[in-house]
Amino acid sequence: MKESRASTRYGVSLLERSLRMGLRSVLLAEVVAINLNQCELGVALDINKRDIPLRVTMLLQNRAVFSLGRRMCSTHVTTGPVSEAARLSSDMSEFRKAFSKAKHIAIITGAGVSAESGVPTFRGEHEKWRKWKSQDLATPEAFSRNPSRVWEFYHYRRELVLNRRPSPVHLAIAECEAQLKKQGRSVVVITQCIDDLHRQAGSKHVLKIHGSLMETRCVSCGQVTVNKRSPICPALNGKGAPGPNVADALIPVDKLPRCDDRDCHGLLRPNTVFFGETLDSHILTKVEKEMEICDLCLVVGTSSIVYPAAMFGPRVASRGVPVAEFNTSMTPKTEYFTYHFQGPCGTTLPQALAQHESEVL
């Protein structure tokens, strides 16, 4: 116990110094993950309050979510009742009052939104593709070891998405943005989804923090290209079936998607953020700005276990801004929010965003 407390104090000391010096991902990640007993960021803030000075906690809350720009999936998921649940509201009329006053609305969307269009979430019963979890395939190490298997996985996802259409959730968000723009108000969509369904629905202001399935990036020259070919290359035609007994196609590397630049012809990879990779700093800067100016935040269809996106909502809530969660169940971050509307977001969100005749918006 003494050793643990000493480690925590040492971690806090390092953290204070690193934040003063403006250091980013690596040191901060090590301090939070190692010296604070390897807890996820949100949990660490609660568990270690007695050991962390208030000003350091505030610095963590206000800066760590953007300093720690590495995509991570927490395995510490809580599904039971949250503390202080009594303060949560599911009163739609109260939410509508807050909505009618908001000038800058941020909508954070996750896999549950795409699920409304029939895209698997890779959670629960759809957790695995063949024998592997998505977080085991969507990594730089997996792509380096077995690019054929990873490309089969992404080819399966690409083909699935190419045949899907925007759901009522996508359409409601796009319609909301269009209507509020006429009133001089703004809506930004900050999405973890790597499909293009928000844009297909008509949303204009979309920040895709995890990249796009419909883009490729050359591992040699770095060129990023929009690529909606189906199949993306002849060798992947008919490949990628998800069944647990399907064998790997073992496609030779030179037959996998290649760069169109004749002087390069390097191996292509999906232009998505793999687990363990750092999010695009330009996108994160834009997200940070939106988090600072929004006066209402909606967290829609996300389990809130993938970081840093899981801390966007709590970050806004820490400013005293109303945050509404729309999800099929409570999440590890529900306790931070003002409102929680439980159920399929395809049912709850359109109702929440629809203009009511009795309201003057």
Side-chain angles (χ1 to χ4, degrees), residues 22 60 93-94 96 117 123 126 149 152-153 155-156 160 195 226 229 248-249 266 287 290 343 355 361:
L60 268 171
S93 62
E94 287 300 315
R96 289 295 303 185
S117 291
R123 298 274 184 263
H126 302 295
R149 178 186 296 157
E152 276 200 87
F153 172 60
H155 174 66
Y156 163 71
L160 229 163
D195 53 57
V226 175
R229 290 196 293 262
D248 286 352
V287 170
E290 298 296 341
Q355 183 172 346
L361 299 181

Side-chain angles (χ1 to χ4, degrees), residues 145-159:
R145 277 195 310 268
N146 197 329
S148 173
R149 178 186 296 157
V150 174
W151 257 122
E152 276 200 87
F153 172 60
Y154 276 94
H155 174 66
Y156 163 71
R157 299 179 72 178
R158 281 170 55 92
E159 295 297 304

Side-chain angles (χ1 to χ4, degrees), residues 11-12 14-15 18 26-37:
V12 168
L14 278 177
L15 179 58
S18 68
V26 177
L27 180 55
L28 189 56
E30 289 177 351
V31 171
V32 173
I34 299 174
N35 292 297
L36 297 186
N37 301 323

Side-chain angles (χ1 to χ4, degrees), residues 25 32 83 93 106 126 129 165 189 191 219 295 315 322 342 354 360:
S25 299
V32 173
S83 61
S93 62
H126 302 295
W129 175 86
R165 296 291 177 265
V189 178
T191 186
V219 300
D295 50 7
R315 162 77 183 268
Q342 193 154 323
V360 180

Side-chain angles (χ1 to χ4, degrees), residues 46-323:
D46 291 331
I47 290 178
N48 298 294
K49 280 179 180 176
R50 291 176 298 176
D51 297 314
I52 304 177
L54 178 61
R55 61 195 178 90
V56 178
T57 301
M58 292 299 293
L59 283 170
L60 268 171
Q61 289 176 325
N62 292 332
R63 295 185 59 182
V65 59
F66 293 101
S67 295
L68 187 57
R70 196 176 303 276
R71 186 183 181 191
M72 300 181 296
C73 183
S74 169
T75 56
H76 304 286
V77 182
T78 56
T79 56
V82 296
S83 61
E84 300 182 42
R87 72 182 180 87
L88 278 172
S89 172
S90 296
D91 188 326
M92 187 61 74
S93 62
E94 287 300 315
F95 168 78
R96 289 295 303 185
K97 289 178 184 178
F99 177 82
S100 67
K101 297 174 184 176
K103 302 296 183 184
H104 304 285
I105 301 172
I107 304 180
I108 302 165
T109 66
V113 172
S114 295
E116 293 291 319
S117 291
V119 179
T121 63
F122 294 101
R123 298 274 184 263
E125 61 179 310
H126 302 295
E127 184 177 34
K128 291 185 177 181
W129 175 86
R130 295 181 184 169
K131 304 172 185 177
W132 298 277
K133 294 181 180 180
S134 61
Q135 56 263 40
D136 296 328
L137 292 167
T139 70
E141 296 80 12
F143 188 76
S144 177
R145 277 195 310 268
N146 197 329
S148 173
R149 178 186 296 157
V150 174
W151 257 122
E152 276 200 87
F153 172 60
Y154 276 94
H155 174 66
Y156 163 71
R157 299 179 72 178
R158 281 170 55 92
E159 295 297 304
L160 229 163
V161 166
L162 283 170
N163 292 304
R164 295 296 183 267
R165 296 291 177 265
S167 72
V169 185
H170 298 103
L171 297 173
I173 292 172
E175 177 65 19
C176 177
E177 179 185 358
Q179 290 298 322
L180 296 194
K181 184 178 180 180
K182 298 174 184 178
Q183 304 168 21
R185 301 159 70 191
S186 68
V187 172
V188 60
V189 178
I190 301 167
T191 186
Q192 301 170 73
C193 303
I194 56 177
D195 53 57
D196 205 33
L197 293 171
H198 277 301
R199 292 198 183 279
Q200 287 182 36
S203 291
K204 305 299 184 186
H205 193 184
V206 180
L207 297 176
K208 303 184 75 168
I209 64 171
H210 291 161
S212 173
L213 268 176
M214 296 302 133
E215 293 178 353
T216 55
R217 184 167 82 247
C218 178
V219 300
S220 297
C221 71
Q223 180 174 303
V224 174
T225 307
V226 175
N227 189 324
K228 296 184 179 181
R229 290 196 293 262
S230 173
I232 191 171
C233 71
L236 281 166
N237 189 24
K239 307 300 182 185
N245 298 317
V246 177
D248 286 352
L250 302 177
I251 300 169
V253 175
D254 63 341
K255 300 298 182 184
L256 292 173
R258 311 297 295 192
C259 183
D260 288 333
D261 189 326
R262 292 182 179 179
D263 295 329
C264 178
H265 202 58
L267 177 65
L268 296 180
R269 56 160 281 180
N271 190 36
T272 58
V273 181
F274 288 155
F275 287 101
E277 290 184 328
T278 302
L279 275 62
D280 187 315
S281 61
H282 298 293
I283 297 293
L284 274 181
T285 297
K286 292 179 181 179
V287 170
E288 182 168 18
K289 180 181 177 181
E290 298 296 341
M291 295 294 94
E292 290 295 335
I293 67 172
C294 73
D295 50 7
L296 178 66
C297 179
L298 282 60
V299 180
V300 186
T302 174
S303 56
S304 292
I305 62 172
V306 177
Y307 289 79
M311 285 304 295
F312 293 168
R315 162 77 183 268
V316 174
S318 72
R319 295 196 292 112
V321 171
V323 179

